[in-house]
Amino acid sequence: MAKMNMLHAINSALDITMAEHPQACIFGEDVGYFGGVFRATSGLQEKYGQHRVFNTPLTEQGIMGFANGLAAFGAPALAEIQFADYIFPAFDQIVNESAKFRYRSGNEFNVGNLTIRTPYGGGIAGGLYHSQSPEAYFAHTPGLKIVVPRNPYQAKGLLRAAIKDDNPVIFFEPKRLYRASTGEVPEEDYSIELGKAEVVTEGTDVTLLAWGAQMEIIEDAAKRASEQGISCEVIDLRSILPWDMETIAQSVTKTGRLIVSHEAPITNGFGAEIVATIQQECFLHLESPILRVCGLDTPYPLALEKEYVPDALKVLAAIKQSVEF
């Protein structure tokens, strides 16, 4: 086991993939010699050559069009969109081409070798064009998988699973944790099953659910709640699409309460889908209304970032509201 931050873990997963598949390619804006804007691909061009790790023009639609073609050819295509906010010009290529390639060909062709990495979320004072969390836009699209890690160990294992999965996967990386989150990570290859949530902490009074960078927020809130005699079950969803309804429903059946937290705006965020499904599955077990602690329905602010992002105190207030209902 080596001590790594999330960037090192992601780099390790990419390194293993490049060594494993001679046709695998990493491409995106500034991912070559520069190593990407966050340095996630540092050293890989020197190791594997400019023909396999290379910069693209500043055109996200072009990046994804090329990625679809490369993946359709059978090569592992490891595309980077520099910020998740920049993914919208590529939206058509992802939802109308990547997601539908297998279906429209009757399973004759596919782009299952496609993995799209992109940093999402706030925490770096990036303002409205470098802080968004667009996972819900893509969760409405059959044919894709969507994965979000919370720490270096999860990042490496989930990224390796995403790369090996036989479907196109969008891998959202919480940029606030790139260097802030560190931990022990195996240097050898390993994978973590996609589509399976993880019960991080067991509890009896209320279920807290989040993903990515919001996990440390709800863990902090759970710790504060425990000091007040409230036992929280903390769950990391990990995969947005498909999402693990069974694990969440089993937890809510036990606790009778659920709080969902995410950085994206509350209206039509993925938390809404979770709430609708769990109230249907667990209606007779609920002791209080399901609550959401999310971003606000405004463009992501620069000066008021701390007020916008859900924090531990907001989650703690929701826990008390749920328990005292």
Side-chain angles (χ1 to χ4, degrees):
M1 302 281 273
K3 191 72 174 289
M4 298 185 189
N5 62 27
M6 188 175 286
L7 285 171
H8 294 144
I10 290 167
N11 187 279
S12 177
L14 295 173
D15 191 5
I16 291 171
T17 302
M18 295 294 285
E20 184 177 61
H21 297 283
Q23 291 182 319
C25 292
I26 296 172
F27 49 93
E29 296 165 6
D30 300 317
V31 302
Y33 180 78
F34 191 62
V37 69
F38 293 103
R39 308 298 191 270
T41 56
S42 289
L44 297 180
Q45 186 182 79
E46 293 90 325
K47 189 171 183 178
Y48 296 103
Q50 296 182 16
H51 64 296
R52 296 186 60 200
V53 182
F54 49 88
N55 297 335
T56 65
L58 305 183
T59 167
E60 284 73 24
Q61 185 176 20
I63 292 171
M64 289 315 307
F66 173 78
N68 283 329
L70 185 63
F73 176 73
L78 309 173
E80 177 180 303
I81 301 296
Q82 193 171 73
F83 286 87
D85 313 61
Y86 300 170
I87 205 168
F88 297 111
F91 193 80
D92 176 62
Q93 283 290 336
I94 295 171
V95 304
N96 275 331
E97 304 299 336
S98 307
K100 297 177 174 63
F101 211 93
R102 186 192 306 275
Y103 180 83
R104 78 181 192 191
S105 71
N107 202 32
E108 289 293 320
F109 310 101
N110 70 80
V111 291
N113 292 302
L114 171 59
T115 305
I116 308 164
R117 294 179 39 255
T118 187
Y120 85 97
I124 64 164
L128 68 168
Y129 288 124
H130 300 81
S131 306
Q132 297 174 80
S133 301
E135 65 269 15
Y137 289 93
F138 298 96
H140 195 64
T141 307
L144 298 176
K145 290 191 175 183
I146 303 170
V147 181
V148 191
R150 75 174 187 274
N151 61 32
Y153 180 85
Q154 301 286 324
K156 181 175 179 178
L158 289 170
L159 181 54
R160 281 293 291 155
I163 292 168
K164 291 186 284 186
D165 195 272
D166 193 29
N167 296 277
V169 181
I170 306 178
F171 194 81
F172 286 105
E173 300 167 0
K175 69 172 80 74
R176 180 170 65 81
L177 302 183
Y178 267 155
R179 293 180 174 85
S181 179
T182 61
E184 291 189 340
V185 179
E187 294 182 336
E188 65 272 12
D189 188 20
Y190 67 96
S191 297
I192 297 173
E193 181 183 359
L194 302 186
K196 184 67 176 176
E198 180 186 9
V199 179
V200 178
T201 305
E202 294 191 356
T204 57
D205 296 328
V206 57
T207 299
L208 306 182
L209 176 65
W211 50 87
Q214 206 58 28
M215 281 301 301
E216 69 172 9
I217 300 300
I218 67 169
E219 287 183 283
D220 186 4
K223 182 178 179 181
R224 294 170 187 253
S226 68
E227 295 170 354
Q228 301 181 30
I230 303 172
S231 173
C232 297
E233 182 142 298
V234 177
I235 300 179
D236 179 8
L237 190 60
R238 299 198 293 197
S239 291
I240 302 294
L241 196 67
W243 69 282
D244 186 359
M245 183 270 291
E246 290 79 10
T247 295
I248 313 307
Q250 184 178 19
S251 176
V252 175
T253 298
K254 177 177 65 174
T255 65
R257 301 175 179 88
L258 174 63
I259 296 169
V260 183
S261 183
H262 57 66
E263 281 190 39
I266 189 168
T267 299
N268 289 328
F270 193 69
E273 171 64 24
I274 296 170
V275 171
T277 301
I278 295 302
Q279 76 83 24
Q280 176 179 307
E281 295 294 321
C282 304
F283 184 76
L284 296 179
H285 298 277
L286 291 174
E287 301 289 344
S288 65
I290 302 174
L291 301 176
R292 289 174 289 165
V293 184
C294 306
L296 306 178
D297 289 332
T298 69
Y300 201 105
L302 176 59
L304 300 175
E305 183 174 34
K306 290 184 179 180
E307 285 72 20
Y308 177 91
V309 175
D311 59 21
L313 292 178
K314 293 177 185 177
V315 177
L316 179 61
I319 292 171
K320 292 180 180 179
Q321 179 183 344
S322 180
V323 171
E324 295 170 1
F325 178 79

